[in-house]
Amino acid sequence: MIYDIGIIGGGTAGMTAAVYGQRAGKQTIILEAMNYGGQITASSCVENYPGIESISGAEFSMKLLDQAVRLGAETELDQVTGIRGENGIQVIQTTGEEYACRTVILATGVTHRHLDVEGEERLTGAGVSYCATCDGAFFRGKDVAVIGGGNTALQDAEFLSNYCRKVYLVHRRDEFRGETGLAERLKKKENVEFVLSAVVKKIVGENMVEGVVLENRKNGEEMEIALSGVFIAVGQIPQNQVFTDVVQLDEAGFVKADEDCLTTGDGIFAAGDCRTKKVRQLTTAAADGAVAALAACRYLSTQE
Ligand code: NAP
């Protein structure tokens, strides 16, 4: 069996690519390492997807998976270990199998870097979030902290300052990594307080977040802040190292590809958060899935 499109990653980008591929009459297979849906499954309530007022991330993912499968997409839970080109066919290797495909769409997403502190994992979804855009509105009128000093943290703090009573921006250094202009704008906001040279020691709360314990890195002093939400924005980790034989990655490990989703590999496309891009959202992942699938269809028509 040779698949027309092998899709690596069963998140929003990958599953959308399968929907578009199947609807174009191509046989697709989605290879997913862990669980279908990807990052959005961690979001308790999605309210920023056009046309859907409110839905849980898990339900959104299941509907999308259903749609792809009903259209004929095949799915396999398997960890991809590499791709090798063989007589114009891309052979996707997994821990147990090999899948021959005429084209490949990389849709491996990213994982959010974690702080790895006490309370973080236990309270994820109960006040700990990795996506201010997804979950910020649930903290209207409440006190929250954003952890990180890059552009994501700064943008998250600005976004949350529109909803929340108070936003603590906690960064481990005195200087932000993100844009100075944005930091200056935040400094002027009355409900934003910078807590610099501070690291999170633990996130406290029984069933919901109740506060954070911070340590001042200069004098070692600990302080506890009472709050309802902790938004962790300490960077994202792409997972593309196994593809370096077939496509180029940027310095951060994202697949080099533009809005057209074309990679440096012949017949290999990249969609969603795994590729170089500025906005990583549910809508842009879906858009990329469509763009990559249609690009793969065009590629296939040139090979016939
Ligand atoms: P980032 O730029 O890598 O920043 C991560 C931040 O988290 C850094 O300030 C880092 O501190 C901190 N950090 C890392 N590990 C930590 C830990 N264990 N504990 C505490 N703090 C930790 O990540 P990002 O903000 O997600 O941005 C990723 C890329 O997307 C960047 O290139 C960014 O410019 C880009 N981006 C662009 C836009 C835009 O609109 N143009 C918006 C968002 C993101 P240090 O600074 O001390 O290393």
Side-chain angles (χ1 to χ4, degrees), residues 28-73:
T28 68
I29 182 164
I30 303 171
L31 300 166
E32 164 59 41
M34 301 268 284
N35 58 318
Y36 298 102
Q39 278 183 74
I40 198 62
T41 54
S43 207
S44 54
C45 194
V46 178
E47 292 182 338
N48 60 1
Y49 196 85
I52 301 177
E53 212 168 281
S54 180
I55 190 168
S56 76
E59 190 185 351
F60 175 85
S61 307
M62 282 309 105
K63 278 180 185 283
L64 184 50
L65 179 61
D66 263 6
Q67 189 179 6
V69 170
R70 274 178 214 271
L71 285 164

Coordinates of all heavy atoms in Angstrom, one line a residue, residues 28-73:
T28 N -5.1 9.3 2.8 CA -4.2 9.9 3.8 C -4.1 8.9 5.0 O -4.9 8.1 5.2 CB -4.7 11.2 4.3 OG1 -5.9 11.0 5.1 CG2 -5.0 12.2 3.2
I29 N -2.9 9.0 5.7 CA -2.8 8.3 6.9 C -2.2 9.3 7.9 O -1.3 10.1 7.6 CB -2.0 7.0 6.8 CG1 -1.9 6.4 8.2 CG2 -0.5 7.3 6.3 CD1 -1.4 4.9 8.2
I30 N -2.8 9.3 9.1 CA -2.3 10.2 10.2 C -1.5 9.3 11.2 O -2.1 8.3 11.7 CB -3.4 10.9 11.0 CG1 -4.3 11.7 10.1 CG2 -2.9 11.8 12.1 CD1 -5.6 12.2 10.8
L31 N -0.3 9.7 11.4 CA 0.5 8.9 12.4 C 0.7 9.8 13.6 O 1.3 10.9 13.5 CB 1.9 8.6 11.8 CG 1.8 7.7 10.6 CD1 3.1 7.6 9.8 CD2 1.4 6.3 10.9
E32 N 0.2 9.4 14.7 CA 0.2 10.2 16.0 C 0.9 9.4 17.1 O 0.7 8.2 17.3 CB -1.2 10.6 16.3 CG -1.4 11.1 17.8 CD -0.6 12.3 18.1 OE1 -0.5 13.2 17.2 OE2 -0.1 12.4 19.2
A33 N 1.8 10.1 17.8 CA 2.6 9.4 18.8 C 1.9 9.2 20.1 O 2.0 8.1 20.7 CB 3.9 10.2 19.1
M34 N 1.0 10.1 20.5 CA 0.5 10.1 21.9 C -1.0 10.0 21.9 O -1.6 9.0 22.1 CB 0.9 11.3 22.6 CG 2.4 11.5 22.8 SD 2.9 10.7 24.3 CE 2.4 12.0 25.5
N35 N -1.7 11.1 21.6 CA -3.1 11.2 21.6 C -3.6 12.2 20.6 O -3.0 13.3 20.4 CB -3.8 11.5 23.0 CG -3.3 12.8 23.5 OD1 -2.1 13.1 23.4 ND2 -4.2 13.6 24.1
Y36 N -4.7 11.8 19.9 CA -5.2 12.7 18.8 C -5.7 14.0 19.4 O -6.3 14.0 20.5 CB -6.3 12.0 18.0 CG -5.8 10.8 17.3 CD1 -6.1 9.5 17.9 CD2 -5.0 10.9 16.2 CE1 -5.6 8.4 17.2 CE2 -4.5 9.8 15.6 CZ -4.8 8.5 16.1 OH -4.3 7.4 15.5
G37 N -5.4 15.1 18.7 CA -5.9 16.4 19.2 C -4.7 17.4 19.5 O -4.9 18.6 19.4
G38 N -3.6 16.9 20.0 CA -2.5 17.7 20.3 C -2.7 18.7 21.4 O -3.5 18.4 22.3
Q39 N -2.1 19.8 21.3 CA -2.1 20.8 22.5 C -3.5 21.3 22.9 O -3.7 21.5 24.0 CB -1.4 22.1 22.0 CG 0.1 22.0 22.1 CD 0.7 23.4 21.7 OE1 0.6 24.3 22.5 NE2 1.2 23.5 20.5
I40 N -4.4 21.4 21.9 CA -5.7 22.0 22.2 C -6.5 21.1 23.2 O -7.4 21.6 23.9 CB -6.5 22.3 21.0 CG1 -7.6 23.3 21.2 CG2 -7.1 21.1 20.3 CD1 -7.1 24.7 21.7
T41 N -6.2 19.9 23.3 CA -6.9 19.0 24.2 C -6.7 19.5 25.7 O -7.5 19.1 26.5 CB -6.5 17.5 24.1 OG1 -5.1 17.5 24.3 CG2 -6.9 16.9 22.8
A42 N -5.6 20.2 25.9 CA -5.4 20.7 27.3 C -6.3 21.9 27.6 O -6.3 22.4 28.8 CB -3.9 21.1 27.5
S43 N -6.9 22.5 26.6 CA -7.7 23.7 26.9 C -9.2 23.3 27.3 O -9.8 22.6 26.5 CB -7.7 24.5 25.6 OG -7.9 25.8 25.9
S44 N -9.6 23.8 28.4 CA -10.9 23.4 28.9 C -12.0 24.0 28.1 O -13.1 23.4 28.0 CB -11.0 23.8 30.4 OG -10.7 25.1 30.5
C45 N -11.8 25.1 27.5 CA -12.8 25.8 26.8 C -12.2 26.7 25.7 O -11.4 27.6 26.0 CB -13.6 26.7 27.8 SG -15.2 27.2 27.1
V46 N -12.6 26.4 24.5 CA -12.1 27.2 23.3 C -13.2 28.1 22.9 O -14.3 27.7 22.6 CB -11.7 26.2 22.1 CG1 -11.3 27.0 20.9 CG2 -10.7 25.2 22.5
E47 N -12.8 29.4 22.9 CA -13.9 30.4 22.6 C -13.4 31.4 21.5 O -14.0 32.4 21.3 CB -14.2 31.2 23.8 CG -15.0 30.4 24.8 CD -15.4 31.2 26.1 OE1 -14.8 32.2 26.3 OE2 -16.3 30.8 26.7
N48 N -12.3 31.0 20.8 CA -11.7 31.9 19.8 C -11.6 31.2 18.4 O -10.8 31.6 17.6 CB -10.4 32.5 20.2 CG -9.3 31.4 20.5 OD1 -9.6 30.2 20.3 ND2 -8.1 31.8 20.8
Y49 N -12.4 30.1 18.2 CA -12.4 29.5 16.9 C -13.6 30.0 16.1 O -14.8 29.9 16.6 CB -12.5 28.0 17.0 CG -12.1 27.3 15.8 CD1 -10.8 27.0 15.5 CD2 -13.1 26.9 14.8 CE1 -10.4 26.4 14.3 CE2 -12.7 26.3 13.7 CZ -11.4 26.0 13.4 OH -11.0 25.4 12.2
P50 N -13.4 30.6 15.0 CA -14.6 31.3 14.3 C -15.7 30.3 14.1 O -15.5 29.2 13.6 CB -13.9 31.7 12.9 CG -12.5 31.7 13.1 CD -12.2 30.7 14.2
G51 N -16.9 30.8 14.4 CA -18.1 30.0 14.1 C -18.5 29.1 15.3 O -19.6 28.5 15.3
I52 N -17.6 28.9 16.2 CA -17.9 28.0 17.4 C -17.8 28.9 18.6 O -16.7 29.3 18.9 CB -17.0 26.8 17.5 CG1 -17.0 25.9 16.2 CG2 -17.3 25.9 18.7 CD1 -16.1 24.8 16.2
E53 N -19.0 29.1 19.2 CA -18.9 30.0 20.4 C -18.1 29.5 21.5 O -17.3 30.2 22.1 CB -20.3 30.3 20.8 CG -20.5 31.7 21.3 CD -21.9 32.1 21.5 OE1 -22.6 32.4 20.5 OE2 -22.4 32.0 22.6
S54 N -18.3 28.2 21.8 CA -17.6 27.6 23.0 C -17.6 26.1 22.8 O -18.6 25.5 22.6 CB -18.3 28.0 24.3 OG -17.7 27.5 25.4
I55 N -16.4 25.5 23.0 CA -16.3 24.1 23.0 C -15.0 23.7 23.7 O -14.1 24.5 23.8 CB -16.2 23.6 21.5 CG1 -16.3 22.1 21.3 CG2 -14.9 24.1 20.8 CD1 -16.4 21.7 19.9
S56 N -15.0 22.5 24.3 CA -13.8 22.1 25.0 C -12.8 21.6 23.9 O -13.2 21.2 22.9 CB -14.1 20.9 26.0 OG -14.3 19.7 25.3
G57 N -11.5 21.8 24.3 CA -10.5 21.3 23.3 C -10.6 19.9 23.0 O -10.4 19.5 21.9
A58 N -11.0 19.1 24.0 CA -11.1 17.6 23.8 C -12.2 17.3 22.8 O -12.1 16.5 21.9 CB -11.4 16.9 25.1
E59 N -13.4 18.0 23.0 CA -14.5 17.8 22.1 C -14.2 18.3 20.6 O -14.5 17.6 19.7 CB -15.8 18.5 22.6 CG -17.0 18.1 21.8 CD -18.3 18.8 22.2 OE1 -18.2 19.6 23.2 OE2 -19.3 18.7 21.5
F60 N -13.5 19.4 20.6 CA -13.1 19.9 19.3 C -12.3 18.9 18.5 O -12.5 18.6 17.4 CB -12.4 21.3 19.4 CG -11.8 21.8 18.2 CD1 -12.6 22.6 17.4 CD2 -10.5 21.5 17.8 CE1 -12.1 23.1 16.2 CE2 -10.0 22.0 16.6 CZ -10.8 22.8 15.8
S61 N -11.3 18.4 19.2 CA -10.4 17.4 18.6 C -11.1 16.1 18.2 O -10.8 15.6 17.1 CB -9.3 17.0 19.6 OG -8.7 18.1 20.2
M62 N -12.0 15.6 19.0 CA -12.7 14.4 18.7 C -13.6 14.6 17.5 O -13.7 13.7 16.6 CB -13.6 13.9 19.9 CG -12.8 13.2 21.0 SD -11.7 11.9 20.3 CE -10.1 12.7 20.4
K63 N -14.2 15.8 17.4 CA -15.1 16.1 16.2 C -14.2 16.1 14.9 O -14.6 15.6 13.9 CB -15.8 17.4 16.4 CG -17.0 17.4 17.2 CD -17.6 18.8 17.3 CE -18.8 18.8 18.3 NZ -20.0 18.3 17.7
L64 N -13.1 16.7 15.1 CA -12.2 16.8 13.9 C -11.6 15.4 13.5 O -11.6 15.1 12.3 CB -11.0 17.8 14.2 CG -10.0 18.1 13.1 CD1 -10.7 18.6 11.8 CD2 -9.1 19.3 13.6
L65 N -11.3 14.6 14.5 CA -10.8 13.3 14.2 C -11.9 12.5 13.5 O -11.7 11.8 12.5 CB -10.4 12.6 15.5 CG -9.9 11.2 15.4 CD1 -8.7 11.1 14.5 CD2 -9.6 10.5 16.7
D66 N -13.2 12.6 14.1 CA -14.3 11.9 13.5 C -14.5 12.3 12.0 O -14.7 11.4 11.2 CB -15.6 12.3 14.2 CG -16.0 11.3 15.3 OD1 -15.2 10.4 15.5 OD2 -17.1 11.5 15.9
Q67 N -14.4 13.6 11.8 CA -14.6 14.1 10.4 C -13.6 13.5 9.5 O -13.9 13.0 8.4 CB -14.5 15.6 10.5 CG -14.9 16.3 9.2 CD -14.7 17.8 9.3 OE1 -14.3 18.3 10.3 NE2 -15.2 18.5 8.3
A68 N -12.3 13.5 9.9 CA -11.2 12.9 9.0 C -11.5 11.4 8.8 O -11.3 10.9 7.7 CB -9.9 13.2 9.7
V69 N -11.8 10.7 9.8 CA -12.0 9.2 9.7 C -13.2 8.9 8.9 O -13.1 8.0 8.0 CB -12.1 8.6 11.1 CG1 -12.5 7.1 11.1 CG2 -10.7 8.7 11.8
R70 N -14.3 9.6 9.1 CA -15.5 9.4 8.2 C -15.2 9.6 6.7 O -15.8 9.0 5.9 CB -16.6 10.4 8.6 CG -17.4 9.9 9.8 CD -18.4 11.0 10.1 NE -18.7 11.0 11.5 CZ -19.7 10.2 12.0 NH1 -20.5 9.5 11.3 NH2 -19.9 10.3 13.3
L71 N -14.3 10.6 6.5 CA -13.9 10.8 5.1 C -12.9 9.8 4.5 O -12.6 9.8 3.4 CB -13.3 12.2 5.0 CG -14.2 13.4 5.1 CD1 -13.5 14.7 5.4 CD2 -15.1 13.5 3.8
G72 N -12.5 8.9 5.4 CA -11.6 7.8 4.9 C -10.2 7.8 5.4 O -9.4 7.0 4.9
A73 N -9.8 8.8 6.2 CA -8.4 8.9 6.6 C -8.1 7.7 7.5 O -8.9 7.3 8.3 CB -8.2 10.2 7.4

